[in-house]
Amino acid sequence: WAQDCQVDNIQVMQNFNRTKYAGTWYAVAKKDPVGLFLLDNIVAQFNIAEDGQMTATAEGRVIILQQWELCAHMFATFEDTYDPAKFKMKYWGAAANLQTGYDDHWVISTDYDNYAVHYACREKGYDGTCIDSYSFVFSRHPTGLRPEDQYIVTQKKQEICLLGKYRRVHTINFFC
Ligand code: ODT
């Protein structure tokens, strides 16, 4: 069978609950976009304000100006869309030389307590498939995914047409 890799047909988390999603997530795997930014030691913290607005901070190891290794402190605000699991993310860095941008931010799957699969397509091709995506696999545990969560995560990687495109990222071996 032919896999449907149309971005518009990607299934996201049903009945996404941002309050249960709030808190700390450790990146354990990442599919990089063109112009890779965050390398590893990536920790995201999602917050829900009283009015329901979602914001996040993240830190991670980056290399800027081709040689300077540092810990980037990043901020994001999320705009809601028609789908509760699909956001637009506006982000910027604590320092001026860090990336800024406006990306999709889709929650593909999560059990809220252990794992989450995130997806962002930055550029769609004429055929409707993604030509520049990035994706994070997050864990609530800095030690990585639990064995029992591997199956669903692998399945979701395949559903978003990114199976085999991830690298493992370290969570705990750097000063960030
Ligand atoms: O690393 C890359 O090359 C792509 C990612 C760049 C955007 C990072 C912006 C982080 C802003 C703070 C947000 C926290 C929430 C993060 C959740 C998922 C990753 C975008």
Side-chain angles (χ1 to χ4, degrees):
W1 50 279
Q3 193 181 2
D4 182 358
C5 291
Q6 300 277 309
V7 176
D8 293 347
N9 293 343
I10 286 178
Q11 301 295 304
V12 296
M13 183 69 189
Q14 298 287 301
N15 305 311
F16 177 69
N17 182 329
R18 67 183 76 192
T19 305
K20 287 165 73 178
Y21 195 69
T24 304
W25 289 101
Y26 301 90
V28 296
K30 182 168 181 259
K31 188 274 175 191
D32 293 316
V34 172
L36 156 70
F37 179 58
L38 292 168
L39 295 169
D40 55 25
N41 290 269
I42 304 156
V43 182
Q45 168 91 38
F46 289 84
N47 310 292
I48 312 298
E50 252 167 57
D51 65 359
Q53 155 104 48
M54 188 162 84
T55 60
T57 60
E59 53 184 31
R61 189 170 66 97
V62 299
I63 290 174
I64 58 163
L65 308 174
Q66 286 153 58
Q67 57 175 323
W68 305 105
E69 183 184 56
L70 56 87
C71 181
H73 291 270
M74 306 294 293
F75 305 94
T77 56
F78 295 84
E79 293 170 10
D80 297 343
T81 69
Y82 66 93
D83 188 314
K86 292 183 178 179
F87 298 88
K88 297 296 284 190
M89 178 180 80
K90 188 179 178 208
Y91 68 93
W92 64 95
N97 46 20
L98 298 172
Q99 274 193 18
T100 61
Y102 188 66
D103 285 344
D104 282 342
H105 182 97
W106 293 3
V107 180
I108 300 296
S109 180
T110 185
D111 71 347
Y112 302 103
D113 297 323
N114 297 288
Y115 80 90
V117 179
H118 148 280
Y119 176 83
C121 179
R122 280 182 170 162
E123 194 181 351
K124 266 194 274 183
Y126 290 117
D127 64 358
T129 64
C130 193
I131 54 179
D132 185 15
S133 63
Y134 65 98
S135 171
F136 286 92
V137 177
F138 286 115
S139 174
R140 288 290 194 192
H141 319 289
T143 46
L145 286 184
R146 302 178 311 160
E148 54 266 54
D149 299 322
Q150 309 271 3
Y151 176 81
I152 177 115
V153 167
T154 301
Q155 199 171 8
K156 294 297 169 185
K157 286 175 173 179
Q158 179 171 13
E159 283 177 25
I160 58 178
C161 298
L162 294 179
L163 188 61
K165 304 215 170 141
Y166 290 77
R167 59 188 177 83
R168 275 193 62 181
V169 298
H170 296 285
T171 50
I172 50 172
N173 62 358
F174 186 77
F175 62 84
C176 270

